[in-house]
Amino acid sequence: MSLFQKLFKQTFIYGLATVLPRMLSFILVPLYTKVMPTGAYGEVTLIFAWFAIFNVVLAYGMETAFFRFFNSEEKPTRVTSTALISVGATTAVFTVFAFFIREQMAVWLNIDPQYIKYVIFILALDALAIIPFAMLRAMQKPRRYAVIKILNVAVNLSLNVFFLLFLPGLSEGNPEGIFSAIYVPDFQISYIFISNLIASALTLALMFPSYRLRNYTFDRVLWSKMIRYGLPVMIAGIAFTINEVFDRIMLSELLPASIAKSEIGKYSACYKIALFMTLFATAFRLGIEPFFFSHSRSENPQKAYAQITNYFVVLGSVILLAVVVYADPLKVLIVRNSDYWEAMPVVPIIILASFCLGIYHNLSVWYKVTDRTRFGAYISIAGAVITIVINYLFIPSIGYYASAYATLAAYASMMSLSYYLGKRYYPIPYNFRKICFYLGISILFSALSFYVFNRDILIGSVFLLVFLLLVYRMEHEFLRRIFIRNED
């Protein structure tokens, strides 16, 4: 199997581990909104936003540092044991400290105190699984990675459906039965986090063999190197998370209270249609990140990095145009309530923003393989500043459109900064003309289809067909390399 066939095979498997859980999670959106009032759903949304931020903090870049040193150190087992001890110790300290200040923590995070215990223990369980999952990726075991990830979400979703949909009916039908004994009225939010807690505990149990090392060695010198490498990644991760979730918080603060939650709901629901680009970019990143590190010392790795980015742009351009063209059928499947469709005009903007983010992740190889991860932090901070400033200035006048434009501006800026800094510190021979050509044509066709021809599916399909024929004519050799097994 050729190098690129292997890469795309792993990308497909990692993509499966990412796509299926995200697709299954769509079930929860109509379920939550059916059984909970707006305020309760807002509470859940806020807690999950904090989950995203704390997950980055508790990982403190150790996952990426693990990849970096696992492939470069002579004794990878020492890297593994050092990383496991480090994350285990910090997680234990966090859990104990957070538990003792849980009431103050609930006030700081604006979370109802009755849910804070769930938050602490879920965060701890997820943090302990970070390095074991990284080990699976570093050792190129995508199937096991995918199975455990999918199982986690399947258990979580099944428990959510049982607790929120079936348990109330079972309890009412048999007041003296076991289901009545475990059912608590108006306990929906707790049921959601109990489901999450059980799924996280099961996941850690399945990953526990990764902790069974013959010899645990904590290398202080190596740990210092990993921390120096990882902390900028953490800062970049926090800034990235701000780009992902902070616009909802700012919408709630800057819009009139009478419409804020309704506007956030419309925006967030239509935002999910961009999920297809996000899934593709995430799966691609999971597949190529170990590849970037493992081939950093090969002969002329820059050529391979350039080819991979070119391929990403080709495939991403097709996805961008396809999702925009068929946005109306997709909204019926994903956003079932027509009250939310008012925000559909932001869909092409968010999809393009997600595409720019995916390109940025491909371009970021230069600072990862050269140990200049601080530049990743600088770039992400710049994106976070753009996000905050644009949202702050324009939300009062144009509402969630400001959030959409802020997301696009942030990710496009990050992409551009990474490209120009990379040219200086680690030149990679990207085919700039080809990248701009595909990106430009897909954006043009998307804009024409969505805004000029008012989402006419027939006209949009013609645009998509023309673009696919263009891609085939220019990239048929690439397609043969990916989808057709060489005889040797």
Side-chain angles (χ1 to χ4, degrees), residues 9-262:
K9 178 182 178 182
Q10 289 193 6
T11 298
F12 172 77
I13 296 175
Y14 285 125
L16 189 66
T18 305
V19 170
L20 289 183
R22 300 270 184 108
M23 294 300 290
L24 288 172
S25 69
F26 281 130
I27 300 172
L28 293 179
V29 177
L31 177 61
Y32 287 170
T33 54
K34 177 181 179 181
V35 303
M36 292 188 297
T38 305
Y41 184 57
E43 182 86 25
V44 172
T45 303
L46 177 62
I47 292 174
F48 277 115
W50 283 117
F51 272 146
I53 295 173
F54 272 97
N55 283 336
V56 175
V57 174
L58 290 174
Y60 51 91
M62 190 58 67
E63 178 185 22
T64 303
F66 173 82
F67 284 131
R68 170 65 179 83
F69 291 95
F70 186 86
N71 288 285
S72 63
E73 291 290 318
E74 295 182 359
K75 297 180 179 180
T77 54
R78 182 166 295 184
V79 177
T80 301
S81 64
T82 299
L84 288 173
I85 293 172
S86 178
V87 174
T90 54
T91 301
V93 171
F94 162 79
T95 304
V96 174
F97 181 70
F99 189 80
F100 279 112
I101 65 164
R102 59 188 182 277
E103 293 183 2
Q104 296 92 326
M105 188 176 178
V107 174
W108 296 335
L109 303 183
N110 193 24
I111 295 174
D112 193 312
Q114 64 179 311
Y115 309 125
I116 198 68
K117 291 181 182 179
Y118 299 127
V119 172
I120 294 170
F121 289 117
I122 292 170
L123 286 171
L125 291 171
D126 289 346
L128 292 174
I130 290 171
I131 299 303
F133 273 122
M135 291 168 61
L136 292 180
R137 291 173 58 196
M139 294 185 290
Q140 299 188 19
K141 295 182 178 180
R143 289 187 179 86
R144 180 171 173 80
Y145 178 97
V147 168
I148 296 176
K149 283 284 187 180
I150 293 170
L151 181 62
N152 171 280
V153 176
V155 170
N156 196 349
L157 289 173
S158 299
L159 290 173
N160 269 275
V161 171
F162 171 73
F163 284 132
L164 301 180
L165 195 60
F166 294 116
L167 183 59
L170 292 171
S171 173
E172 184 179 351
N174 186 8
E176 303 300 326
I178 185 174
F179 295 116
S180 180
I182 63 174
Y183 174 66
V184 180
D186 300 322
F187 204 61
Q188 292 93 338
I189 297 179
S190 293
Y191 282 139
I192 290 171
F193 293 112
I194 288 172
S195 300
N196 201 318
L197 182 63
I198 294 173
S200 295
L202 176 61
T203 299
L204 184 59
L206 292 173
M207 300 300 294
F208 190 73
S210 300
Y211 282 89
R212 294 178 179 175
L213 301 181
R214 291 185 177 180
N215 295 306
Y216 268 94
T217 302
F218 184 77
D219 190 323
R220 292 185 178 181
V221 175
L222 173 62
W223 181 78
S224 297
K225 293 179 182 178
M226 296 176 76
I227 287 293
R228 287 196 298 271
Y229 186 91
L231 286 180
V233 175
M234 181 190 72
I235 296 172
I238 293 173
F240 171 77
T241 306
I242 289 175
N243 290 328
E244 286 287 296
V245 303
F246 205 67
D247 53 357
R248 278 75 160 183
I249 298 172
M250 296 191 74
L251 283 168
S252 68
E253 294 294 330
L254 298 175
L255 288 177
S258 59
I259 65 169
K261 290 182 179 179
S262 176

Side-chain angles (χ1 to χ4, degrees), residues 327-403:
D328 276 345
L330 289 172
K331 77 182 181 185
V332 177
L333 296 174
I334 299 171
V335 187
R336 301 292 183 88
N337 190 336
S338 61
D339 292 341
Y340 293 89
W341 295 351
E342 179 185 315
M344 281 297 292
V346 306
V347 170
I349 303 170
I350 297 300
I351 297 173
L352 179 58
S354 298
F355 191 15
C356 290
L357 179 62
I359 297 174
Y360 163 72
H361 283 307
N362 280 268
L363 299 177
S364 67
V365 60
W366 71 267
Y367 66 71
K368 291 181 179 179
V369 300
T370 60
D371 293 350
R372 292 186 172 95
T373 52
R374 66 184 185 279
F375 283 99
Y378 301 153
I379 293 169
S380 294
I381 290 171
V385 170
I386 291 171
T387 296
I388 293 171
V389 170
I390 293 178
N391 274 291
Y392 180 78
L393 291 178
F394 296 105
I395 280 178
S397 57
I398 60 175
Y400 51 66
Y401 287 97
S403 298

Side-chain angles (χ1 to χ4, degrees), residues 23 109 121 127 159 203 257 263 266 288 416 418 484:
M23 294 300 290
L109 303 183
F121 289 117
L159 290 173
T203 299
E263 295 295 282
K266 296 172 187 176
I288 65 172
S416 301
S418 185
I484 300 178

